[in-house]
Amino acid sequence: AASTPVTINMTNLSHAVRLAEQEYEVGNSSGHVFRFGVASEGLPPGGGCIEQAGDAEDFHSFMTSLISLA
């Protein structure tokens, strides 16, 4: 990323929500908001496919836990 890194943790988390089946929005108290998705397969710009079903499942489980705390 070309921008300055932004920290999001339990002391500055303003919200964490699930937008769709594989999409989320997370924000912090300084107003930074991030929307992103995690799929079971990744399609890199150079072509091909990256299988990441196990990683995606772990991430969705983590986000479910985070959302319950927000």
Side-chain angles (χ1 to χ4, degrees), residues 1-67:
S3 61
T4 304
V6 174
T7 301
I8 297 178
N9 56 45
M10 295 312 292
T11 63
N12 70 358
L13 179 67
S14 66
H15 69 280
V17 295
R18 190 172 203 152
L19 299 174
E21 187 174 331
Q22 299 176 343
E23 297 178 6
Y24 302 92
E25 179 177 287
V26 177
N28 72 7
S29 57
S30 65
H32 291 91
V33 176
F34 303 92
R35 289 186 178 178
F36 54 92
V38 177
S40 58
E41 290 185 343
L43 303 174
C49 180
I50 298 173
E51 189 284 317
Q52 56 190 24
D55 295 326
E57 184 178 332
D58 289 345
F59 185 77
H60 294 303
S61 177
F62 165 76
M63 287 303 296
T64 298
S65 297
L66 181 66
I67 290 167

